[in-house]
């Protein structure tokens, strides 16, 4: 699918889809509960569907309705037989579920698409091999053998998803465990989301200090009806559009949210000032692409720090944004973990700019926002990548008078 983007003034309001991060966590916790739970305000996407199908493969029964699902939980500790879990392109699904799947009495195979199986997984590989368990990774990941309770020490600068994966499992095991995070501890805000969801399902994790967690064993997930809050990482696209183009009202947001991507609100305040801006991306990496767009239209220097995690997403998002923004003559350069942009107020080209979406939903959405704020037209190829997280994105853009034409 291609999307032709024409400049123009937007206006109106948009109901932001539910948080993908929180939906993953709610579905997993409900699927581990002993009773029946309702998870409401769900926005279905390929990533969320991947988590649902994988939890079903692990024994949960899940009925999907338009905006909610009903989940009957599974006893993960007593599942037998070989299983195959298709995570599609969802890194959260894969990393959240490997520890849980280790409890199945049989061989479990994880498969995926795109760059998923090339994303860093050494932390789990090391944990499994240290406990003399099977962990094999080529085109798929195969595991066999039960991770045990005890002391765990993992790096805090690779992905918080490994930490969350262990936090889902360890409370279920027979003995207590301790989890140490080796500094620097980045993306801690995502772990806080996991802790908050676990608490809703009556799982207690004790935070001993900034880098140590105590997890009491023999805990039981209790059924719970929950509503998933709006997604600040998705809202960020409309917040930047509102800042650069014309005010847009964003609905369905929780002002008390713990989401790290809520940082977009304070970042935008910095951009209201006529000065250079420095952004630390360590706790909000998903904001990276749209912040590059924001920086491109800020007629000062923007420096984005701790951006290296962008290189390990659905695409190398630093390289992708550099490549596509340079087609608009944006002054952008990078190192492995920094991005520097010298912006200007407007961009206009003599010919239509052809943008490649890099099979990455956030690249497509970011470049759509750029095109709506530019002074000439662009065409985004691979625009169907939005279905990974936000299938209704272009519909919502059209509803606020954004000039987008979709075609094959």
């Amino acid at each position: 699918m291609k999307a032709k983007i024409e400049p123009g003034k937007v206006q109106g309001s948009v109901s932001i889809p539910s948080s993908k991060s929180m939906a993953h966590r709610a579905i997993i916790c409900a699927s581990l509960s002993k009773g029946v739970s309702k998870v409401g305000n769900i926005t279905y996407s390929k990533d969320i569907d991947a988590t649902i199908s994988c939890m079903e493969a692990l024994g949960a029964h899940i009925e999907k309705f338009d905006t909610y699902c009903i989940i009957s939980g599974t006893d993960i500790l007593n599942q037998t037989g070989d299983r195959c879990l298709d995570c599609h392109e969802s890194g959260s699904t894969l990393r959240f579920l490997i520890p849980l799947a280790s409890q199945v009495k049989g061989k479990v195979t994880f498969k995926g698409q795109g760059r998923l199986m090339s994303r860093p997984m050494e932390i789990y590989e090391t944990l499994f091999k240290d406990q003399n368990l099977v962990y094999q990774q080529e085109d798929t990941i195969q595991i066999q053998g039960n991770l045990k309770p005890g002391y765990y020490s993992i790096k805090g600068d690779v992905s918080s998803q490994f930490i969350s994966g262990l936090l889902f499992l360890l409370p279920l095991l027979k003995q207590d465990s301790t989890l140490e995070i080796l500094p620097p501890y980045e993306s801690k805000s995502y772990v806080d989301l996991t802790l908050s969801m676990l608490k809703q399902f009556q799982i207690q994790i004790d935070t001993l200090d900034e880098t140590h967690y105590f997890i009491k064993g023999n805990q039981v997930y209790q059924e719970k009806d929950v509503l998933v809050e709006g997604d600040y990482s998705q809202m960020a696209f409309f917040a930047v559009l509102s800042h650069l183009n014309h005010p847009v009202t964003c609905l369905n947001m929780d002002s008390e949210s713990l989401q790290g991507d809520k940082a977009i609100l304070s970042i935008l305040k910095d951009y209201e000032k006529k000065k250079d801006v420095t952004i630390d991306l360590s706790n909000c990496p998903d904001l990276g692409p749209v912040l590059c767009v924001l920086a491109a239209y800020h007629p000062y220097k923007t420096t984005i720090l701790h951006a290296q995690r962008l290189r390990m997403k659905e695409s190398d998002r630093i390289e992708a944004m550099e490549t596509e923004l340079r087609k608009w003559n944006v002054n952008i350069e990078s190192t492995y973990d920094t991005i520097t942009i010298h912006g200007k107020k407007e961009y206009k080209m003599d010919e239509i700019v052809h943008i490649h979406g890099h099979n990455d939903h956030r690249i497509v959405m970011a470049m759509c926002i750029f095109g709506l704020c530019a002074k000439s037209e662009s065409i985004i190829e691979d625009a169907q990548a939005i279905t990974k997280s936000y299938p209704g994105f272009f519909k919502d853009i059209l509803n606020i008078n954004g000039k987008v034409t979709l075609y094959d």
Side-chain angles (χ1 to χ4, degrees), residues 346-361:
E346 65 178 49
Y347 294 87
K348 183 177 182 179
M349 306 299 287
D350 293 333
E351 299 180 348
I352 294 178
V353 178
H354 288 265
I355 298 297
H356 177 40
H358 296 261
N359 193 35
D360 191 323
H361 53 133

Side-chain angles (χ1 to χ4, degrees), residues 104-394:
V104 173
K105 297 173 179 64
K107 180 175 66 177
V108 180
T109 301
F110 288 88
K111 64 179 183 178
Q113 300 172 5
R115 285 164 46 104
L116 182 62
M117 289 300 162
S118 64
R119 293 167 74 170
M121 298 296 295
E122 290 83 0
I123 286 179
Y124 283 154
E125 181 177 10
T126 299
L127 292 182
F128 274 76
K129 292 186 175 179
D130 284 349
Q131 295 189 24
N132 295 315
L133 308 176
V134 174
Y135 184 101
Q136 297 175 339
Q137 181 170 355
E138 292 180 356
D139 294 333
T140 63
I141 294 174
Q142 294 185 349
I143 62 171
Q144 189 166 10
N146 307 143
L147 285 172
K148 303 170 182 64
Y151 171 78
Y152 286 83
S153 176
I154 64 176
K155 294 180 179 179
D157 62 349
V158 179
S159 172
S160 65
Q161 293 166 350
F162 296 108
I163 302 168
S164 291
L166 288 170
L167 291 175
F168 286 126
L169 169 66
L170 294 177
L172 293 170
L173 302 185
K174 299 303 181 184
Q175 286 83 38
D176 302 342
S177 299
T178 301
L179 177 58
E180 178 186 12
I181 314 304
L182 301 177
Y185 189 175
E186 298 179 357
S187 293
K188 182 178 181 296
S189 60
Y190 289 98
V191 177
D192 291 339
L193 295 182
T194 301
L195 295 175
S196 69
M197 187 60 69
L198 287 169
K199 186 176 181 180
Q200 290 194 61
F201 286 84
Q202 303 303 307
I203 296 295
Q204 180 62 43
I205 307 290
D206 294 326
T207 302
L208 302 179
D209 57 37
E210 285 295 315
T211 56
H212 291 81
Y213 300 98
F214 175 75
I215 304 100
K216 187 172 180 60
N218 275 318
Q219 296 191 60
V220 177
Y221 285 77
Q222 301 293 332
E223 66 270 20
K224 172 75 174 178
D225 292 348
V226 296
L227 287 174
V228 181
E229 65 187 63
D231 194 326
Y232 272 94
S233 69
Q234 309 291 34
M235 189 209 76
F237 295 100
F238 293 93
V240 170
L241 181 62
S242 182
H243 177 86
L244 298 176
N245 186 296
H246 192 264
V248 173
T249 301
C250 295
L251 308 174
N252 192 37
M253 302 308 298
D254 180 3
S255 61
E256 302 300 319
S257 174
L258 297 176
Q259 294 177 51
D261 294 326
K262 186 180 170 185
I264 186 63
L265 302 178
S266 59
I267 290 170
L268 285 170
K269 289 181 179 179
D270 285 341
Y271 274 95
E272 292 173 359
K273 305 167 186 176
K274 296 180 178 180
K275 65 172 188 177
D276 295 347
V277 175
T278 299
I279 301 169
D280 185 342
L281 212 59
S282 59
N283 265 320
C284 52
D286 284 344
L287 296 182
V290 77
L291 289 180
C292 288
V293 172
L294 178 62
Y297 283 99
H298 184 61
Y300 298 89
K301 176 183 175 182
T302 296
T303 304
I304 300 176
L305 306 175
H306 301 128
Q308 69 273 16
R309 200 160 304 150
L310 299 185
R311 296 195 181 277
M312 300 178 286
K313 298 290 186 177
E314 286 79 353
S315 68
D316 179 336
R317 287 178 175 166
I318 295 178
E319 180 182 8
M321 289 305 295
E322 273 194 280
T323 299
E324 304 313 316
L325 288 176
R326 282 177 178 163
K327 293 176 181 177
W328 284 100
N329 289 334
V330 175
N331 184 349
I332 177 173
E333 57 187 23
S334 69
T335 65
Y336 182 72
D337 65 350
T338 67
I339 306 169
T340 303
I341 297 174
H342 296 269
K344 59 183 183 180
K345 290 185 177 181
E346 65 178 49
Y347 294 87
K348 183 177 182 179
M349 306 299 287
D350 293 333
E351 299 180 348
I352 294 178
V353 178
H354 288 265
I355 298 297
H356 177 40
H358 296 261
N359 193 35
D360 191 323
H361 53 133
R362 298 198 189 278
I363 302 301
V364 172
M365 291 188 284
M367 294 311 300
C368 175
I369 300 304
F370 187 101
L372 291 171
C373 298
K375 299 296 184 183
S376 57
E377 298 176 356
S378 60
I379 293 174
I380 303 175
E381 300 176 2
D382 286 344
Q384 71 280 357
I386 60 164
T387 59
K388 184 176 191 297
S389 66
Y390 193 167
F393 175 74
F394 288 121

